[in-house]
Amino acid sequence: SEDRVRVTVQLVAVADGATLWAGQFDDPFTDIFSVEDSISQQVTRTLMLKLTGDETRKLSQRHTTNTEAHQAYLRGRYYWNRRTETDLRKSVRCFQEAVNLDPSYALAYVGLADSYSVLGGYSDLPPKEAYSRTRAAALQALEIDETLAEAHTSLGDYLMYLNWDAPGAEREYRRAIELRPDYATAHHFYAWFLMSQGKFAEASAEMRRAQELDPLSPMINTTVGLPLYFARQFPEAISHFEKSVEAEPGFDLGFVYLGRAYVYSGMYDQGIAALRNAVALSGGRPVTIAALSHALAMAGEVEEAIELRDTLIARSQTRYVSPYYFATIFAGLGDRKNTLRWLESAFEDRSNQLVVLGLDPAWDRLRDDRDLKTLIARVGFGATPR
């Protein structure tokens, strides 16, 4: 109400429903952080917890005292979680606003790093540009606070997707989890790393842990099925993806993964329908158009596949479109020469998708190709096909 905020807190024992403690805090909104501190301290005292000095420090740690910067950061995370290109660009603006309001706000730099990482991840920006920005923002955050788990996670993404540095990436992800075991994104990103190494059981465990920590994340809920997908357990993956799109019917990437799983199971009609939905929901994002074109080609609907391919070629004159996407389309068309030519361009671009080159079902028709095997060896990152 106006410039004041009231928070009513109840601490309840779930075993019998008994109220252990209740309190009300009524303070100026400009000092919302003191309200948070008061609540956490009172709950701790009520539970008679004995905290270590480090735990006490973390409990009362404030990454910023600027409430406007904090609000901008929260808006940025909201947009970041939606994962559309439009929302990711909004998240960049929000995190930049937070940095401008408080240049010492380390988490805001992490937000910038993560936004650029995902923009690069889905090739909404050229990988070298996107991940270089990820690195710069992550290092800025670590300069402010070397113990910030979120920043180590972001740096791991740079090392994985642009440097193709597996030992370095794993070191940063594991350091992040060590510093903050309850950070869902660290487990989520580490799971992607483990998948790229062909460690599907370990990746699944990390995905499940991320889901436990952040059960409302559309991206995490969707990608829990990816270890099954890369392990070629397509029926189980489909079952998961179907549930995820039912829960998040507006999440375009959920339909991308579902559509691909259908296609590689030979269920072309269902896969094409799911991918058309992804294109519509995303407003024609390149990753969705490429996936649909590839599916149409696999299903023998060559004319429309080529039309979509040409649409992307025309679009690439005015914005970045990953060569990896064109390679998948030509693979679906059975054009070995152009598939390898575009994969070579993807290598020159440092396309982040190359970290799963040895595992992506898109290349299953070319698994025995000598030139493809040579390219996988040149990337030098990730598991090789079995």
Side-chain angles (χ1 to χ4, degrees), residues 209-232:
R209 181 58 181 147
Q211 187 180 45
E212 290 171 1
L213 292 166
D214 191 358
L216 300 181
S217 167
M219 192 66 196
I220 291 175
N221 284 330
T222 296
T223 54
V224 166
L226 279 183
L228 296 168
Y229 170 84
F230 281 117
R232 306 300 194 275

Side-chain angles (χ1 to χ4, degrees), residues 73-85:
Y73 173 80
L74 293 177
R75 286 195 301 273
R77 280 298 172 193
Y78 168 77
Y79 289 125
W80 182 77
N81 274 307
R82 292 169 65 89
R83 291 298 206 277
T84 70
E85 181 180 358

Side-chain angles (χ1 to χ4, degrees), residues 81-82 215-222 241-255 277 281:
N81 274 307
R82 292 169 65 89
L216 300 181
S217 167
M219 192 66 196
I220 291 175
N221 284 330
T222 296
F241 293 141
E242 285 177 338
K243 292 174 184 176
S244 71
V245 298
E246 182 180 352
E248 295 287 346
F251 189 55
D252 61 314
L253 294 174
F255 286 97
N277 205 359
L281 287 169

